[in-house]
């Protein structure tokens, strides 16, 4: 078997916009209640970017913090991957803008689109560059200003999401630690269940698409909910098995933060008590591809991850797509 370089996360950073929008504030904008939102989703508040604040602005701040926590200089970065569903522009890639802002003069850069699963896809992709021995340092960022794509008159979607960014630095780690196993899934037949219909080559934006809010996020919540409950548990079980572990070996489960009911259903499937599950959906809502690295940062800062712990991270979202990894913390 060819040798491979063990790869792990050596630095984490996040950026959350300052503005907090509570459920009470939403009550003044749309026909909803704090009680409905809390009972159906677990969300109490979310962060919303300023009008002049774009995805790359959040990504750059999260990345700077991740580089500092890893003790890595910008010119040591070989590659930047930005997972986002809300890029600054159709092109150039947000990752190129981030590369310039950070001063990562020796880095390649590209964006990755996999909806809310984007960070999981980017984490697995970035890891392969390091594990194959091709690159030494990869910066992986999940960043979103999804508030800019919401229809603020659609109460079934606008209450769910929030803005933010999370970044990690990938490097070689001691053998038997770092990424143990990964799993990526896709079912494109479910694409229409969660999409921004207009603004691409299928339906370029025009006055009619704007009038019909087709440039905004559209979702069949019930179907996505059913899909999410199924894949979260399955993907976690699958990846744990691939790592040669049992579900009893999971020390911390970091799921995509979309809805507390989805998270609890996945935990039940895994036989995990909620004290082994990271939950912050109450404070940030669904930050799409930023949710897992933001939750990871919180877990590390609060001391919930210790050396030798097996950490399972799972994402799901538009595509439909899903992905999971197991990491043994070094
Ligand atoms: O990253 C992946 C992104 N997406 C997700 O993870 C979303 C997955 N889906 C969900 O989390 C849930 O389906 C929702 C939270 C979106 C909705 O919860 P639900 O329990 O599936 O509610 P529902 O869509 O079945 O709607 C129930 C009722 C409806 O009224 P009627 O038809 O029963 O009279 C809705 O019109 O709740 C109504 N409703 C609301 N009421 C107050 C929908 N949104 C709201 C609201 N406030 N914000």
């Amino acid at each position: 078997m060819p040798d491979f370089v063990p790869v792990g996360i050596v630095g984490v950073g996040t950026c959350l916009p300052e503005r907090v929008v509570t459920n009470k504030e939403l009550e003044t904008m749309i026909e909803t209640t704090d009680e409905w939102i809390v009972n159906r989703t677990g969300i109490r508040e979310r962060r919303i970017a300023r009008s002049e604040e774009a995805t790359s602005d959040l990504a750059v701040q999260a990345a700077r913090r991740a580089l500092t926590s890893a003790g890595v200089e910008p010119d040591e970065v070989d590659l930047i991957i930005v997972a986002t569903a809300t890029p600054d522009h159709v092109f150039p890639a947000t990752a190129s803008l981030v590369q310039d802002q950070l001063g990562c003069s020796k880095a390649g850069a590209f964006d990755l689109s996999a909806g809310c699963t984007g960070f999981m896809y980017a984490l697995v992709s970035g890891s392969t560059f390091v594990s194959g021995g091709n690159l030494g340092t990869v910066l992986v960022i999940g960043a979103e200003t999804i508030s800019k794509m919401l229809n603020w008159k659609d109460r079934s979607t606008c209450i769910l999401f929030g803005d933010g960014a999370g970044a990690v630095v990938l490097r070689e780690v001691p053998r038997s630690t770092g990424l143990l196993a990964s799993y990526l899934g896709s079912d494109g037949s479910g694409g229409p269940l969660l999409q921004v219909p207009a603004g691409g080559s299928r339906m370029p934006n025009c006055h009619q698409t704007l009038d019909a809010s087709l440039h905004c996020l559209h979702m069949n919540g019930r179907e996505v909910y059913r899909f999410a409950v199924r894949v979260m548990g399955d993907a976690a079980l699958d990846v744990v098995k691939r790592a040669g572990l049992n579900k009893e070996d999971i020390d911390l489960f970091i799921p995509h933060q979309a809805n507390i009911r989805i998270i609890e259903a996945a935990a039940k499937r895994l036989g995990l008590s909620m004290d082994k599950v990271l939950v912050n959906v109450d404070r940030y809502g669904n930050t799409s591809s930023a949710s897992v690295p933001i939750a990871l940062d919180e877990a590390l800062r609060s001391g919930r991850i210790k050396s030798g712990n097996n950490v399972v991270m799972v994402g799901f979202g538009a595509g439909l797509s899903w992905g999971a990894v197991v990491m043994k913390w070094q």
Side-chain angles (χ1 to χ4, degrees), residues 26 30-34 36-37 39-41 43 115-117 154-161 193-194 217 219-228 256-262 286-289 291 315-318 320:
L26 292 179
I30 44 168
E31 189 70 36
T32 192
T33 60
D34 173 54
W36 190 96
I37 300 173
N39 287 343
R40 301 283 178 130
T41 71
I43 300 167
C116 299
T117 322
D154 175 9
R155 67 177 184 172
S156 69
T157 54
C158 75
I159 54 127
L160 298 171
F161 295 91
L193 296 175
L194 178 47
L217 182 149
M219 179 171 69
N220 180 329
R222 272 184 211 182
E223 287 302 321
V224 174
Y225 184 95
R226 280 223 284 265
F227 149 77
H256 171 46
Q257 307 284 315
N259 185 320
I260 187 66
R261 293 188 292 145
I262 296 173
N286 179 346
T287 56
S288 186
S289 63
S291 85
F316 67 88
L320 297 171

Side-chain angles (χ1 to χ4, degrees), residues 6 15 20 36 69 88 99 110 121 130 136 142 149 165 175 190 249 287 300 313 327:
C15 174
V20 177
W36 190 96
S69 89
D88 286 25
Q99 175 266 322
F110 66 90
Y121 268 77
V130 179
M149 289 210 174
R175 205 150 277 285
D249 300 319
T287 56
L300 286 165
M313 299 179 239
M327 286 203 160

Side-chain angles (χ1 to χ4, degrees), residues 188-303:
S189 71
L193 296 175
L194 178 47
Q195 63 170 345
V196 175
S201 60
R202 178 69 62 198
M203 192 189 291
N205 267 323
C206 60
H207 289 298
Q208 285 89 337
T209 61
L210 292 175
D211 290 344
S213 295
L214 295 177
H215 61 297
C216 295
L217 182 149
H218 287 246
M219 179 171 69
N220 180 329
R222 272 184 211 182
E223 287 302 321
V224 174
Y225 184 95
R226 280 223 284 265
F227 149 77
V229 167
R230 180 167 49 83
V231 298
M232 281 267 267
D234 285 358
L237 283 175
D238 188 287
V239 83
V240 164
K241 201 167 144 197
R242 281 174 198 227
L245 301 173
N246 298 310
K247 49 188 184 181
E248 294 75 29
D249 300 319
I250 301 173
D251 296 300
L252 187 67
F253 180 49
I254 304 183
H256 171 46
Q257 307 284 315
N259 185 320
I260 187 66
R261 293 188 292 145
I262 296 173
I263 294 172
E264 284 172 352
K268 197 169 168 197
R269 184 87 210 280
L270 293 166
L272 286 179
S273 60
M274 287 304 285
D275 61 324
K276 288 192 169 181
V277 183
L278 200 294
V279 177
N280 64 14
V281 69
D282 50 325
R283 280 164 288 136
Y284 305 125
N286 179 346
T287 56
S288 186
S289 63
S291 85
V292 169
I294 290 172
L296 173 65
D297 189 59
E298 192 166 315
L300 286 165
R301 281 174 193 281
S302 59

